[in-house]
Amino acid sequence: MILKRLACSLLWVMPLAVEAQEFQFQTVIDKAEVLAGSAWKAPKQVPRFLQELSYHDYQGIRFKPESSLWREDEAPFSVMLIPPGLFYQHAVGINIIENGEAEPLAFDKTQFSYPNSEIEKLMPADLGFAGFKLTFPFDAPDIHNQFLVFAGASYYRAVGRHNNFGLSGRGVGVNTGLPSGEEFPAFTEFWLEKPSADAKSLTFYGLLDGKSLAGAYQFTVTPGDETSMQVKSVLFPRQEMELAGIAPLTSMFYYGENTLRPDGEWRPEVHDSDGLLLHDGASDEWLWRPLNNPATLTMDYFATEQLRGFGLIQRDTDFRSYMDAEAGYGTRPSAWVEPEGDWGQGHVVLTQLPTPDETNDNIVAFWTPDTKLQAQGPHTFSYTAHFGAADVAGSPMARAVDSYLGDGKRIGGGDAEGAVRVIVDFAGGPLDERAADAPVTGDVTALEDGELIEHFVEYVPALERWRLSMLVRPVPDRPLSLRAFLHEGEETLSETWTYQLAPGSDVLNVIN
């Protein structure tokens, strides 16, 4: 189940050679519906020597920046192309839309440089592309910054102006986390609309195909301090879908302040995201779940009656929390998915897988409807995906900025055998308006029959935070499970912090 970075299943097909033809989004929708009415066919793989390239040799195949699409037109956007090989084992069709007509983009091997003459000689002249990268001048008109990459199944990665690449988005998820095994549908063809010279946004389209469904997508992306992408998706399942994942986000969490540090690790924390945030409109509750690196696969379902948004957030952006000058974890983007319209009742699903290091994307979050998607469709979901700073969701509530766990029977932790001391620091929102002696209290619930021994709230001047301290004893062989928020009288001040540790987790093992 662990997803190796960039090593996603790739299901690309080559486009047929056709002349320019009139194009609109309905063109892609019609193609998806036709695909869904027939059996799925596995695409043709690229030559074996490309699949077996070493990482170093594949990285040595580089697209020449001067060959970027639209670069010579001095357009604000340009397109760099990605070669198949190594992880990218199938080609994807790319078409260019200009004046309302679409024309296939031909592969040209001279647009790439190669690590050696042998690879260049073997490279087929009609190979095709694995995907594309979009650039935009964030810093200066003549500097083309990469801000969006589509490559690998239905995966894409996006950043805001001040971010480095980190977590990924996906077109759709199929049976993520289920024992039956996850499927990886792929974008098999793209249509990119040539932008005007003063364009602030770029529109493109994708055709998705997989064993269980086909789909049509329209993307309109606007880069900036926060990069936003409006998505319209029309899905046509080939069969009833057991677990459809809408607007999936994929990230990495190795360890953080709420876990033990692995033996031999010198860095305080290592993760691309440190929590799941969601907002349900029916209750107007903002909920925060710190991420974990579990001992075994875990799946958590958060009920939503009227989803307003969900995302994977890199809330801790302080370099000192990571001390890794190369990885730059503090600059990884946060992502927030904002539905358009009412998606109905469903659940935000958080899937967490164990990982022995930071090379695995082991976190997946998505929304799934309570009613399973039926065969044929269409099923339409529109939303905007935002990528940027930690406050990308715009929550008005005080936020849980740090979570710590330790032994509840030692100096500084307590004197309760088998208990866990849990510390949560809150800051921001309405708390900024409170005096240090304000009567802020915590509302804490111990779930799974756990025993809440004590809890209290205090202001910590050195950090300018409000600290909720809890001492809780979980039932043996049951999860440590808690919900908590801060309030003053009848006024809720903070988001709801929720946490769960399965039996066998590192912290519980140490305590017990």
Side-chain angles (χ1 to χ4, degrees):
M1 288 298 301
I2 288 179
L3 307 179
K4 283 288 184 181
R5 298 189 167 203
L6 301 179
C8 310
S9 299
L10 308 177
L11 309 172
W12 307 121
V13 295
M14 287 294 294
L16 297 175
V18 293
E19 304 215 347
Q21 52 187 292
E22 203 172 312
F23 179 88
Q24 54 187 345
F25 185 31
Q26 189 63 44
T27 305
V28 189
I29 295 173
D30 292 343
K31 285 176 175 283
E33 186 171 15
V34 170
L35 280 175
S38 59
W40 176 75
K41 295 181 180 178
K44 181 181 178 181
Q45 294 189 334
V46 298
R48 180 172 293 277
F49 89 91
L50 284 171
Q51 299 178 41
E52 296 177 349
L53 287 176
S54 68
Y55 180 80
H56 176 78
D57 282 344
Y58 175 74
Q59 290 296 109
I61 305 175
R62 298 183 179 274
F63 184 75
K64 299 175 182 176
E66 62 270 20
S67 297
S68 298
L69 299 181
W70 311 322
R71 178 72 64 92
E72 62 185 18
D73 298 333
E74 298 184 355
F77 294 92
S78 63
V79 183
M80 302 179 70
L81 300 165
I82 300 172
L86 191 56
F87 309 130
Y88 307 129
Q89 299 185 4
H90 308 274
V92 55
I94 295 180
N95 306 273
I96 304 302
I97 306 169
E98 190 169 1
N99 299 322
E101 293 188 331
E103 185 173 357
L105 180 67
F107 177 76
D108 182 354
K109 63 184 293 183
T110 66
Q111 293 179 322
F112 298 86
S113 59
Y114 300 89
N116 57 63
S117 58
E118 184 67 18
I119 291 177
E120 181 176 10
K121 180 178 68 175
L122 293 173
M123 186 70 69
D126 59 351
L127 179 62
F129 308 105
F132 61 90
K133 304 175 182 178
L134 295 183
T135 71
F136 186 83
F138 278 147
D139 302 317
D142 58 343
I143 298 177
H144 297 265
N145 303 100
Q146 296 179 25
F147 72 93
L148 181 66
V149 179
F150 267 78
S154 68
Y155 284 77
Y156 65 89
R157 299 166 71 196
V159 294
R161 183 190 307 271
H162 304 294
N163 299 129
N164 290 316
F165 283 104
L167 84 174
S168 303
R170 278 198 261 173
V172 71
V174 179
N175 297 339
T176 305
L178 296 187
S180 58
E182 184 172 7
E183 297 179 21
F184 294 93
F187 287 117
T188 60
E189 193 168 5
F190 290 99
W191 293 260
L192 283 68
E193 197 169 294
K194 185 175 181 179
S196 62
D198 59 351
K200 303 299 182 184
S201 301
L202 177 70
T203 298
F204 58 98
Y205 307 83
L207 176 65
L208 179 139
D209 195 19
K211 292 181 180 180
S212 293
L213 83 168
Y217 289 74
Q218 175 181 294
F219 303 94
T220 300
V221 63
T222 305
D225 287 349
E226 173 193 293
T227 291
S228 64
M229 186 162 65
Q230 293 178 297
V231 183
K232 296 181 180 179
S233 63
V234 184
L235 305 179
F236 297 91
R238 288 187 166 91
Q239 59 197 27
E240 181 182 86
M241 299 187 66
E242 181 65 23
L243 183 60
I246 308 302
L249 299 170
T250 299
S251 192
M252 179 275 294
F253 183 90
Y254 182 24
Y255 62 95
E257 83 270 358
N258 58 305
T259 71
L260 298 182
R261 186 185 301 183
D263 291 343
E265 277 289 353
W266 59 271
R267 297 168 295 180
E269 302 178 41
V270 175
H271 50 76
D272 284 341
S273 306
D274 54 7
L276 168 72
L277 180 67
L278 67 90
H279 182 206
D280 183 57
S283 62
D284 200 29
E285 180 181 48
W286 290 81
L287 184 146
W288 173 256
R289 165 62 69 87
L291 299 180
N292 206 347
N293 182 3
T296 60
L297 181 149
T298 64
M299 296 183 70
D300 294 292
Y301 290 74
F302 302 92
T304 60
E305 293 186 26
Q306 195 177 57
L307 182 68
R308 287 286 181 259
F310 75 94
L312 292 175
I313 309 298
Q314 183 72 318
R315 188 164 277 182
D316 189 344
T317 59
D318 190 337
F319 173 79
R320 291 168 296 184
S321 296
Y322 308 96
M323 300 302 290
D324 191 328
E326 181 178 355
Y329 288 115
T331 61
R332 302 297 170 101
S334 296
W336 181 250
V337 173
E338 189 175 13
E340 180 180 312
D342 186 358
W343 284 4
Q345 294 186 341
H347 290 79
V348 172
V349 181
L350 175 64
T351 302
Q352 302 180 101
L353 303 99
T355 180
D357 54 46
E358 64 202 274
T359 65
N360 300 310
D361 282 339
N362 63 317
I363 305 294
V364 186
F366 55 87
W367 183 84
T368 191
D370 281 350
T371 302
K372 294 179 181 180
L373 299 190
Q374 301 301 308
Q376 300 307 312
H379 303 278
T380 301
F381 298 94
S382 297
Y383 55 92
T384 300
H386 305 269
F387 297 84
D391 60 355
V392 67
S395 168
M397 310 304 293
R399 302 164 191 175
V401 292
D402 281 315
S403 303
Y404 303 97
L405 290 86
D407 192 345
K409 186 174 175 55
R410 65 174 57 201
I411 296 175
D415 59 359
E417 190 75 36
V420 181
R421 174 62 68 180
V422 184
I423 303 290
V424 184
D425 285 350
F426 291 88
L431 286 177
D432 287 344
E433 305 168 0
R434 263 57 187 181
D437 59 351
V440 175
T441 57
D443 187 303
V444 182
T445 303
L447 307 173
E448 298 287 344
D449 294 326
E451 178 188 359
L452 181 61
I453 300 171
E454 67 175 34
H455 68 92
F456 59 90
V457 176
E458 61 182 338
Y459 181 71
V460 183
L463 298 174
E464 297 183 335
R465 298 175 179 178
W466 292 82
R467 174 164 293 178
L468 172 61
S469 182
M470 297 162 277
L471 187 63
V472 59
R473 181 186 287 115
V475 174
D477 300 322
R478 297 278 293 276
L480 168 69
S481 188
L482 295 166
R483 283 175 59 92
F485 63 91
L486 300 186
H487 63 96
E488 182 180 350
E490 297 298 317
E491 182 183 359
T492 299
L493 303 175
S494 75
E495 63 194 9
T496 298
W497 172 91
T498 176
Y499 198 75
Q500 187 171 84
L501 278 180
S505 67
D506 54 4
V507 174
L508 295 181
N509 279 339
V510 169
I511 293 172
N512 297 321

